[in-house]
Amino acid sequence: MIRLPAAKDPEVSVIVLLDGAVELAERCLAALAGDPGVPAEVVILLNDPDEELERFVRGSTTGGKVVLSRANAGPGVGWNLGGAVAEAPRLATMHEDSEPEPGWLRPLCETMSETGAGAVGSRLFNADGSVQNCGWVLFSDAAHQPLNAATAPEVAAASEPTPADMLSGAAMLVDREAAAAVGGWDERFFPAVFMDIDISTAMWGLGRPVLSVPDSRVVHASGTFDRRPNSLLTGPRLRLFLFERNRHRFTDKWGPAVTDLAPAPTDAEPETIRAAVEAALPHTRARLERVLGGAAAPSPPAQAEARFTGVAEPVVADGEGGYRVAPEVESALRATEGELIDDYLRWLIGREDEVSGHLATAHDALAHQRRDIDRLNGAIEDLRRHNRELSAALDGLLNSRTWRLRTRAARLLGREPASR
């Protein structure tokens, strides 16, 4: 039995979204069962789970609050739903593919208290112990890059909290009052991509720092959200589709707060990416200096949209000690996901047509090149045949009994004439 933290007066409510394999859920929850470092409670959002996952959570865990959604809420809407039953003044978000190390929560809380940060994040590690990211840097076109040893070695080597344009919801602590001031997680970006970027940008807009904390360590598998079982919203291209879909919504919302940032890399070469990150980091550091120096925020940040949870009771008690998402919220989520699936499939078809067009063009170009090569090979063979014929003719002259012709040919070729 996994006994999750259940403090009566929690300082932090840890909201965990589960919708994948039982193995992931078990590792994540078992890690959370360790000492978090501060009084905490755990809120589990069962996000459209299969029977096995639901049975595991209800039968093999204790102490956590369980919120059941029969529709896919995704991370952002999921954090808002979990926050509806959370009791603490600080909310920590956690992905099911995250495994926090013991004591991971205290450094986040201490950093938030000492700096007045609106959001702080754990340093995320890969399974092999390498740094996955220390937050992310954001570019003027809303593209973003993780800060790690490859892109920002000085940040990865830092032992003190470092500023970041955005943090990952895989292990992020948010001041609840600050989150409420911006409307929570913006549900216009359902189901994913830009939720974390948006809430981080909103914290900066409030004049609250966004910091990555090296002393808080979490191992993060990454990439599980686009491998949801029993869903058409899956596959290696899903993230790109959602990025393209939500990018303009994000830049339209934030305007110069994003478009005035440094430009994105022009290609995917490591040297180009690192140079772009180096050019972007001064913007992030300057923003932190302004905030810590007491500079007022330029204007109130844009508000999030509560497209799904903006009802009187988005979460209701289920009578069994747990909670369930209100039927009208689930209906809205299902309807929107259905529309999204249609858009995704059309996008995939368009991509397939585009790729097919590129392949056809490449095939034609290759065929043309092959014809050119065949003609060139023919010309080379003709030249070789001509050279063989010329060589034979010259050899015939050199071996000829006609003395004058033989001598002249030898001189032309720089050879001594053969003796008679």
Side-chain angles (χ1 to χ4, degrees):
M1 182 66 69
I2 298 175
R3 301 186 183 279
L4 298 168
K8 292 183 179 180
D9 188 19
E11 293 182 22
V12 177
S13 296
V14 183
I15 307 172
V16 189
L17 187 143
L18 303 179
D19 63 6
V22 169
E23 292 78 10
L24 284 174
E26 186 172 11
R27 288 199 297 267
C28 177
L29 296 179
L32 285 174
D35 179 17
V38 298
E41 67 170 357
V42 174
V43 178
I44 298 172
L45 180 72
L46 277 172
N47 187 49
D48 193 20
D50 59 23
E51 291 183 5
E52 184 182 11
L53 179 60
E54 184 176 355
R55 185 166 55 249
F56 164 75
V57 170
R58 296 193 183 281
S60 301
T61 70
T62 184
K65 295 178 178 177
V66 179
V67 180
L68 174 63
S69 175
R70 294 298 184 191
N72 174 28
V77 178
W79 308 145
N80 288 336
L81 291 170
V85 302
E87 297 182 20
R90 290 171 175 172
L91 304 176
T93 62
M94 182 72 61
H95 290 179
E96 65 185 352
D97 56 1
S98 299
E99 296 181 55
E101 295 187 358
W104 67 283
L105 201 48
R106 181 178 292 280
L108 297 180
C109 291
E110 290 177 347
T111 300
M112 182 171 284
S113 297
E114 292 168 1
T115 64
V120 291
S122 302
R123 177 168 289 187
L124 300 183
F125 291 84
N126 297 307
D128 62 4
S130 60
V131 175
Q132 187 178 105
N133 76 70
C134 314
W136 299 63
V137 69
L138 185 64
F139 299 106
S140 58
D141 65 350
H144 38 282
Q145 283 289 332
L147 300 172
N148 54 35
T151 62
E154 71 283 6
V155 176
S159 58
E160 297 295 324
T162 54
D165 290 331
M166 56 168 283
L167 300 170
S168 170
M172 179 197 298
L173 180 69
V174 176
D175 180 85
R176 187 170 190 161
E177 184 177 344
V182 298
W185 280 265
D186 197 329
E187 297 173 8
R188 79 184 77 185
F189 302 115
F190 170 84
V193 181
F194 283 102
M195 295 281 193
D196 300 342
I197 307 174
D198 179 80
I199 196 73
S200 298
T201 304
M203 292 299 107
W204 281 116
L206 280 176
R208 304 284 294 271
V210 176
L211 304 171
S212 174
V213 182
D215 289 340
S216 176
R217 298 170 57 95
V218 172
V219 177
H220 181 227
S222 185
T224 60
F225 107 92
D226 48 12
R227 297 196 298 270
R228 291 184 66 240
N230 306 316
S231 173
L232 291 175
L233 284 179
T234 188
R237 294 186 178 183
L238 176 60
R239 194 178 298 269
L240 177 59
F241 163 71
L242 292 174
F243 176 80
E244 291 183 358
R245 175 179 179 269
N246 290 337
R247 178 211 297 257
H248 297 298
R249 299 181 184 186
F250 178 76
T251 53
D252 288 347
K253 176 180 177 180
W254 292 108
V258 173
T259 54
D260 287 347
L261 296 175
T266 54
D267 58 54
E269 293 298 321
E271 298 80 5
T272 306
I273 293 174
R274 181 167 175 176
V277 171
E278 288 179 351
L281 281 174
H283 292 260
T284 310
R285 298 187 184 110
R287 182 158 51 182
L288 177 64
E289 291 173 2
R290 289 194 299 270
V291 169
L292 296 181
S299 60
Q303 289 291 296
E305 293 183 7
R307 294 188 173 185
F308 305 100
T309 62
V311 298
E313 289 187 281
V315 176
V316 295
D318 65 6
E320 299 179 2
Y323 304 86
R324 59 181 176 82
V325 174
E328 61 266 37
V329 175
E330 290 182 341
S331 295
L333 288 170
R334 289 194 195 96
T336 304
E337 184 176 45
E339 296 170 0
L340 187 65
I341 288 172
D342 288 344
D343 290 343
Y344 181 42
L345 295 178
R346 281 192 290 267
W347 182 86
L348 286 173
I349 292 170
R351 282 276 168 164
E352 187 67 26
D353 291 342
E354 181 181 347
V355 171
S356 297
H358 289 322
L359 288 174
T361 301
H363 179 271
D364 292 343
L366 182 59
H368 182 73
Q369 289 176 353
R370 284 175 175 168
R371 287 194 294 270
D372 288 344
I373 291 172
D374 289 342
R375 284 195 293 268
L376 180 60
N377 286 335
I380 291 173
E381 185 57 36
D382 289 343
L383 182 60
R384 285 174 176 168
R385 184 170 56 253
H386 178 72
N387 286 342
R388 286 195 297 270
E389 293 172 353
L390 178 60
S391 177
L394 289 172
D395 286 342
L397 288 174
L398 287 172
N399 296 319
S400 171
R401 295 184 181 183
T402 306
W403 179 82
R404 284 193 174 90
L405 286 176
R406 183 180 64 191
T407 302
R408 187 172 182 180
R411 287 174 181 170
L412 288 172
L413 295 174
R415 305 181 190 178
E416 291 293 329
S419 300
R420 283 191 265 181

